[in-house]
Amino acid sequence: MSTALGTLEELPEDYRAAMAEAGVAPLWPMMRNLLPHGAPKPVTASGHWSYPALRPLLLRAGDLTPVEKAERRVLVLSDPGRGAGAMLATPSIYVGMQLLLPGETAPAHVHTPSAVRIVVEGQGGYTVVDGEKLPMEEGDLVLTPGGEWHDHGHEGTEPVIWLDALDLPLFVYLEGSYATEGPLQAQRNRPDASQVEYLSAGLAPARRRGGGARRYPMMRYPWARTEAALREMARWAGDGPGNGPVEMDYVNPETGDDVLPTMGFTAMMLRPGEAQSPPRLSTSAVFHVVRGRGRSVIDGVTHAWGPKDVFTAPCFAEIDHLAEDEAFLVRIHDRPLQDKLGYYEERAR
Ligand code: 1HN
């Protein structure tokens, strides 16, 4: 039952002044703002960034600002609900498009937030995490978890662009965000763990007493394998629209847990003509289109998306996807965080 609570204005002027002077505030006029009835009232609004619009802006940043001056050359995707300059796309997720030009290196640093890269275009880019050199091929998901040293390099001939996703807004809110800079890392002379230790799903390096697995055993998730897995899932689910969502979560191959403590990643395949109306989720989300075209209606706003675009959804958004072509998307969300906090929820439509 909703009852009107007292307002600030109906309190005597002298009492309001005395409260402010004493450094206190009455809860009751703010109660419904802090705890809306039944569901949150997000500030976040659904946004859509078309890659053809972003790309020239990013390339121009390459002309204007050398990487030495920028450290990371990134255009941040600002939540339209918060307006120009917002350093976040949803309350928990920051995303930006980063450009690295041939021969450039982005210096090594380590920070408290975790980052994930999804490679958008270009060949020859790589990220080094804790000495492990991770090739960046289109669609690959590359982790740089909080507390791990990382730098980027580019051995190719054309610009490399990737999408960065970080749980930065949480760390900023917690006043826990900071970085330490250092020299470029020595690189181990062996392929990344996705090509050696975890080449095959269901197999992990033998566990010997005292030899525990690393907290983040696999830092690179090659797109070719993700796509192959989705296709196989789709094949056995039966072809054609209406056969349920074909989705796979990125997991830690040792534990089966989410890859990072706060951010989750789900690869989605939509068949040509397929419509999906998922339940309303308590999680906010960023969708990256790896390939394909379609349209998504999010809280009444229609986004017609194409390859490499990004669009977002606030928590509890009503979402309807429709694929025109065969489409592959990666959904970045905060379910791992909400699971830990104990309030993750799915509401049937
Ligand atoms: C960062 O470390 C990278 O390493 C990119 O490429 C974007 C945004 C905020 C804070 C740290 C990177 C970032 C970032």
Side-chain angles (χ1 to χ4, degrees), residues 72 74 94 98 109 111 115 117 144 150 152 162 164 166 168:
R72 298 293 192 266
V74 179
Y94 154 112
Q98 181 162 175
H109 66 186
H111 43 66
R117 333 283 162 186
T144 62
H150 56 281
H152 311 293
W162 64 77
D164 291 308
L166 286 88
L168 182 67

Side-chain angles (χ1 to χ4, degrees), residues 1-6 27-41:
M1 195 186 72
S2 176
T3 50
L5 298 177
L27 171 63
W28 58 98
M30 292 303 291
M31 194 71 176
R32 294 287 179 253
N33 293 7
L34 297 171
L35 293 170
H37 278 293
K41 289 201 165 75

Side-chain angles (χ1 to χ4, degrees), residues 78-305:
S78 297
D79 164 32
R82 291 175 171 84
M87 290 287 122
L88 69 179
T90 84
S92 57
I93 304 169
Y94 154 112
V95 281
M97 282 278 182
Q98 181 162 175
L99 169 72
L100 201 61
L101 295 171
E104 289 186 331
T105 52
H109 66 186
V110 60
H111 43 66
T112 46
S114 289
V116 166
R117 333 283 162 186
I118 300 176
V119 184
V120 175
E121 86 165 60
Q123 287 176 348
Y126 63 88
T127 293
V128 185
V129 185
D130 190 24
E132 189 169 303
K133 184 176 179 179
L134 308 161
M136 298 175 90
E137 288 170 17
E138 214 176 291
D140 287 1
L141 192 109
V142 171
L143 309 183
T144 62
E148 302 276 345
W149 284 95
H150 56 281
D151 57 69
H152 311 293
H154 188 348
E155 293 164 332
T157 55
E158 299 297 324
V160 160
I161 296 173
W162 64 77
L163 186 74
D164 291 308
L166 286 88
D167 51 9
L168 182 67
L170 299 172
F171 284 76
V172 170
Y173 179 75
L174 295 170
E175 299 185 343
S177 182
Y178 69 96
T180 308
E181 289 77 33
L184 289 180
Q185 304 162 78
Q187 293 167 20
R188 274 179 282 162
N189 187 23
R190 69 181 300 194
D192 69 272
S194 75
Q195 310 301 315
V196 183
E197 289 91 340
Y198 303 99
L199 184 62
S200 192
L203 290 175
R207 288 145 194 198
R208 300 195 196 285
R209 195 170 295 225
R214 292 189 294 166
R215 182 166 180 212
Y216 300 106
M218 194 168 99
M219 305 277 196
R220 174 179 173 229
Y221 293 74
W223 174 256
R225 269 186 231 170
T226 306
E227 182 174 327
L230 288 168
R231 284 190 186 285
E232 210 58 18
M233 290 279 283
R235 191 157 79 91
W236 292 99
D239 278 334
N243 282 304
V246 178
E247 298 190 352
M248 301 201 96
D249 289 334
Y250 289 84
V251 298
N252 177 321
E254 286 285 346
T255 64
D257 291 341
D258 298 300
V259 291
L260 289 171
T262 67
M263 277 186 298
F265 301 83
T266 303
M268 307 164 51
M269 176 179 168
L270 295 166
R271 305 163 180 93
E274 180 169 347
Q276 291 287 344
S277 297
R280 294 166 63 215
L281 305 180
S282 56
T283 49
S284 60
V286 175
F287 296 85
H288 173 62
V289 184
V290 176
R291 199 180 313 141
R293 272 181 201 285
R295 53 187 65 237
S296 298
V297 184
I298 302 183
D299 287 338
V301 180
T302 301
H303 302 305
W305 42 261

